[in-house]
């Protein structure tokens, strides 16, 4: 092969690679799935919940952290028809962050698990 033929072959290979890369980028933009977190405003809240320690049986109020996700007023821009349908079905909700609580009794001080629901619809 002469030098000119090699240059033409390299140019052809380069065009094929760049063309595939450009096509892949376009495909990714069109088929991009919107993240669910874009539908909500998130903030962390602490709520006092009355609980009973299973070890010492002492009742008390304990701080429990929650992630509150409130639905935005309008769907985010750039969504397709499927994303708008998901947004229409979305509801505000709370997710419990803390799964363990420490007893406040000086003699006990043991940790215990919080059981029950971890997600609440608002």
């Amino acid at each position: 092969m002469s030098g000119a033929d090699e240059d033409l072959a390299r140019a052809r290979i380069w065009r094929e690679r760049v063309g595939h890369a450009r096509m892949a980028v376009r495909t990714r933009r069109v088929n991009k799935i919107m993240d669910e977190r874009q539908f909500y405003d998130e903030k962390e809240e602490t709520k006092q919940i009355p609980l009973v320690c299973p070890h010492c049986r002492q009742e008390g109020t304990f701080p429990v952290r929650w992630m509150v996700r409130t639905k935005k007023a309008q769907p985010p821009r750039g969504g397709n028809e499927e994303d708008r349908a998901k947004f229409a079905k979305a509801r505000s909700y709370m997710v419990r962050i803390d799964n363990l609580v420490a007893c406040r009794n000086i003699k006990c001080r043991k940790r215990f698990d919080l059981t029950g629901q971890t997600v609440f619809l608002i």
Side-chain angles (χ1 to χ4, degrees), residues 53-79:
C53 175
H55 305 288
C56 67
R57 306 279 186 229
Q58 184 173 351
E59 186 176 345
T61 58
F62 298 92
V64 178
R65 293 181 306 145
W66 294 83
M67 179 62 69
V68 179
R69 293 188 174 132
T70 54
K71 183 179 170 182
K72 291 185 178 180
Q74 295 179 349
R77 294 181 182 182

Side-chain angles (χ1 to χ4, degrees), residues 9 18 25-26 28 42 44 56 60 64 98 106 122:
V18 171
V25 169
R26 287 186 193 129
R28 279 190 221 127
E42 293 183 349
E44 192 174 305
C56 67
V64 178
D98 293 333
I106 295 172
I122 300 175

Side-chain angles (χ1 to χ4, degrees), residues 19-33 80:
H20 289 302
R22 286 182 185 161
M23 196 165 88
V25 169
R26 287 186 193 129
T27 306
R28 279 190 221 127
R29 286 182 190 158
V30 171
N31 295 334
K32 184 179 177 187
I33 297 172
N80 57 14

Side-chain angles (χ1 to χ4, degrees), residues 49-64 96 98-105 108-115:
I49 298 179
L51 298 170
V52 177
C53 175
H55 305 288
C56 67
R57 306 279 186 229
Q58 184 173 351
E59 186 176 345
T61 58
F62 298 92
V64 178
R96 189 175 67 217
D98 293 333
N99 289 327
L100 287 175
V101 177
C103 181
R104 292 190 175 164
N105 185 356
C108 181
R109 296 284 187 198
K110 292 184 180 174
R111 292 182 180 173
F112 58 95
D113 289 326
L114 296 176
T115 58

